[in-house]
Amino acid sequence: MSAAVKTKGAELEPGQSPKLTTYDGKDYEVVQEGLARILNLRRSVKSAGKGKSRDGGTPQQAVFYNPIQQFNRDLSVLVIRIFAEDLAKIRKARRERRTQGESNNAGKGKKRKRENADPEERRPVLESRSNGQLGQDEKVQVEVNEGARKNISLAINGQGNQSTLPAVSSETTRPGVPESHSIPESKEEPSEIPQGPRSSDIKAEEETDDKDTKPKTGTFRILDALSATGLRALRYAKEIPQVTSAIANDLSEPATASIKLNVHHNELVGKVYATTGNALTHMYRVAGGDHYRFPDGGQGRYEVIDLDPYGTAAPFLDAAVQALGDGGLLCVTCTDSGVFASVGYLEKTYSQYGGLPFKGPQSHEVGLRLILHTIATSAARYGLAIEPLVSLSIDFYARVFVRIRKSPAEVKFLAGKTMLVYNCDQGCGAWTTQFLAQNKLKKDKKEGHFYKFIVSQAPSASPHCEHCGFKTHLSGPMWGGPLHNPHFIQRILDVLPSLDAETYATIPRIEGMLSTALDETLLETPSDQASDVPTEPKPETSIIASLDPSQPDRYPFFLIPSALAKVLHCAAPSHASICGAFIDLGYRATRSHTKPGSIRTDAPWNVIWEVMREWVRQKAPVKEGAIVKNTPGWGIMKHDRSRVRVQDLKEELKSIMEKVEDLEAAKTEIGAALYRASKAPESNGAGDTVHGHPQASSGGPVSKLEVVFDEELGKDYSGKRLVRYQLNPRANWGPMTRAKGGHARDEASEGIS
């Protein structure tokens, strides 16, 4: 690799012009992010003015780069860094257990079971059937004609040369892969990649001992499957110490030429490899068996795969979950929020994500759950279980980080963590969830425990909303488990103070969003609540705890006080006052990271609407005639406790008139009933309401709850101002226009050779 390099200007400072570098007579702008630098080819004024993008004036790019997603990349570096540290501890613990087991079994003549072997240190093989034969769906099909077979045989026997070998595409097509994602011939052109074995070495390689094909101890490989400039792979290689190699793949030849140039500029030759090819077929080759060699010469599967396409990542998920090693990390970005977070293209949502979207403010959280549902079902086909570590709705896209484990036992819990939602989207906005199955813990005859999987009774809701009477609509199926692992998020927050603010410019936003995500995790068991996650850093030697794989998220989604007030045509309560009311009743109340002004609570909807009715009665009376009959607000206010008391009084008076025949006795009974009715609001009654304990959860009427709007109780006393919700960073920001590399193909490919 050779290139004439000349640098112009000094390091970039705010307000200064970009730093320029010249390679082989061509000028490039140097863009620094984190510890990596990428080079953007400076286009002439004539070519730059040919195509304006739809975002309001930014010219189309030869290789795609969006500076707005620096937050995405900073967060990804931190997540993978924590994951790499945790994986190293897991591997160390496995080796220690295995060593201890071998020492205990020394001299007994027992062989260690293959299931206990560390996936990192054993030779990866194709998944096989019980009879030793591969199923048709598990093979990567490579068709070789009879003449090619003869040429291979001649080459192995030394009677031919390498030129007689058949030309087989480096990226083969797997059955079931859409033709739109496959190409007739795809090239892999790694920068400084060791050449594969020659035909004369094939026979010798087959006789090589198993240990020669095992990956090196401590191997940590990352695939940036849709790399564009290669910036992610460059940052991972520079900023994560555990990374041994990073493969930056792209289908576009100008893009891979740009990646090679950037690899050379960052002095990462031999650690970051650029490959040209279809991401699907590359991942299927890695998943296909032990004959694939990585550009660094090793074998195995990836520890991390990062999918960041322009649009949906759904077509790549099946290949990605198979190309990951056991316990690997899958990082997924989807920028098609108009599909997964909107009902405008629900047929497209279902075809991409296997579920229907949600109409309402919660649509982006539902979008996250639809993406996780797609990953979970893709993985479950192969006995792989998922554990979402961090799932965030950010700006115009969704970003999820999911650990993939080989665990057929955990896959059995998937139906019990998959749910449908009945949404009153045209009425009051309430919802009801319906899980497809139940994961029941039972005791066996030996006082042990086992799980029984039961089909749920249906339906869990009537066609009309029980609160306002309007029709409900269906959404899902979608992921019904937790969106985050609070222990993992806490570990990231623990390392933020030690980071360089210049390298990670988005630290304030990372801290704010992750803190909000940590708070919004409302788990069933109090000991597992996000609020109970220790704020003190855990010992560096500890492994991050996983959540119970059998438990669903019983309290998904959030409410917005202003939206509730709009239904009742009243002034909106403050965030602190309504949170204080829920907390005073014994429920939890926090924020959701997906929407400013949101409240996430474990209070049921009958309690939520009772709190709002009390808000109207105590704090914000509705003007007469504001609530029209046959509207959602009318249906909600029909259950007002004053109306309930009047109805109760009518029933009591009716009962008195039926029982009492004497007029004087009837007057006495009626007077007593009226007195009790007049005093009911001021008294708790005999055990009707216990302060701090929600009576609704014990089956009592919500109309007798004592609702107190305590703003002090509902305020956030964390003592630190956090950037929880990012404002628009600049004008015309967003996903930007797709790169158009054709016009710059020759110039980009000549950048470095």
Side-chain angles (χ1 to χ4, degrees), residues 347-368:
E347 74 285 355
K348 184 69 171 178
T349 310
Y350 186 81
S351 65
Q352 294 282 18
Y353 300 104
L356 297 176
F358 189 96
K359 184 178 180 180
Q362 302 83 6
S363 60
H364 286 269
E365 179 178 335
V366 171
L368 286 173

Side-chain angles (χ1 to χ4, degrees), residues 42-53 57-60 743:
R42 285 178 64 86
R43 302 170 59 192
S44 64
V45 176
K46 181 178 179 181
S47 62
K50 283 184 178 180
K52 295 292 183 180
S53 69
T58 304
Q60 291 177 340
H743 65 278

Side-chain angles (χ1 to χ4, degrees), residues 540-592:
E540 290 299 321
T541 56
S542 65
I543 295 174
I544 298 174
S546 296
L547 301 181
D548 184 353
S550 68
Q551 291 300 318
D553 185 355
R554 297 291 182 186
Y555 316 110
F557 313 134
F558 55 86
L559 56 92
I560 298 179
S562 60
L564 302 182
K566 184 178 179 180
V567 173
L568 301 181
H569 298 274
C570 67
S574 67
H575 188 278
S577 62
I578 197 165
C579 283
F582 289 138
I583 295 172
D584 184 70
L585 290 172
Y587 297 102
R588 292 172 285 173
T590 181
R591 294 180 176 88
S592 170

Side-chain angles (χ1 to χ4, degrees), residues 16-282:
Q16 289 186 344
S17 59
K19 180 181 176 182
L20 303 180
T21 296
T22 300
Y23 275 83
D24 290 338
K26 296 180 178 63
D27 289 339
Y28 296 86
E29 292 181 1
V30 181
V31 179
Q32 179 162 358
E33 186 179 297
L35 299 180
R37 294 180 175 88
I38 60 170
L39 306 178
N40 278 344
L41 182 66
R42 285 178 64 86
R43 302 170 59 192
S44 64
V45 176
K46 181 178 179 181
S47 62
K50 283 184 178 180
K52 295 292 183 180
S53 69
R54 62 187 176 190
D55 60 12
T58 304
Q60 291 177 340
Q61 305 175 82
V63 179
F64 186 81
Y65 168 70
N66 190 352
I68 296 301
Q69 290 203 33
Q70 181 176 356
F71 172 79
N72 184 325
R73 291 182 284 267
D74 285 350
L75 177 65
S76 299
V77 170
L78 297 179
V79 169
I80 296 175
R81 173 180 165 182
I82 299 301
F83 169 79
E85 294 173 356
D86 191 54
L87 182 62
K89 296 168 188 173
I90 292 173
R91 287 174 168 176
K92 181 180 178 181
R94 284 175 178 171
R95 288 194 295 269
E96 290 176 351
R97 288 198 302 268
R98 186 169 60 253
T99 302
Q100 182 66 29
E102 289 176 350
S103 62
N104 293 339
N105 294 331
K108 296 182 181 180
K110 294 183 179 179
K111 293 184 179 180
R112 176 170 53 93
K113 291 184 178 180
R114 186 173 186 83
E115 289 79 3
N116 296 330
D118 190 344
E120 175 215 2
E121 296 184 351
R122 69 170 183 250
R123 180 180 182 179
V125 295
L126 287 171
E127 310 292 344
S128 58
R129 302 291 188 189
S130 59
N131 59 3
Q133 298 296 324
L134 290 175
Q136 190 68 18
D137 292 339
E138 297 169 346
K139 296 181 182 178
V140 175
Q141 301 294 320
V142 181
E143 296 185 1
V144 183
N145 59 34
E146 192 64 30
R149 298 177 192 275
K150 294 179 180 179
N151 288 336
I152 293 176
S153 178
L154 291 173
I156 294 176
N157 295 327
Q159 300 176 16
N161 51 41
Q162 192 170 359
S163 62
T164 64
L165 287 173
V168 180
S169 171
S170 61
E171 302 286 8
T172 57
T173 304
R174 193 181 195 275
V177 177
E179 293 182 2
S180 59
H181 296 289
S182 61
I183 53 178
E185 182 175 355
S186 176
K187 304 175 183 177
E188 283 197 5
E189 300 177 357
S191 55
E192 299 295 316
I193 300 178
Q195 297 296 320
R198 296 172 298 178
S199 57
S200 58
D201 297 333
I202 294 179
K203 187 173 182 179
E205 181 182 339
E206 290 178 345
E207 297 173 355
T208 302
D209 188 66
D210 217 21
K211 63 183 179 181
D212 295 333
T213 61
K214 292 178 182 177
K216 299 177 182 178
T217 302
T219 297
F220 194 92
R221 297 188 185 92
I222 298 179
L223 171 64
D224 185 7
L226 307 152
S227 194
T229 61
L231 178 57
R232 289 178 183 273
L234 296 171
R235 290 196 61 181
Y236 296 158
K238 275 184 168 285
E239 300 172 29
I240 304 174
Q242 293 83 358
V243 173
T244 56
S245 63
I247 287 79
N249 178 81
D250 202 283
L251 184 60
S252 167
E253 291 184 1
T256 49
S258 175
I259 295 170
K260 292 178 183 179
L261 180 64
N262 291 326
V263 169
H264 179 86
H265 184 74
N266 285 270
E267 300 179 349
L268 289 173
V269 176
K271 190 172 185 179
V272 177
Y273 303 93
T275 62
T276 305
N278 188 309
L280 279 173
T281 50
H282 175 87

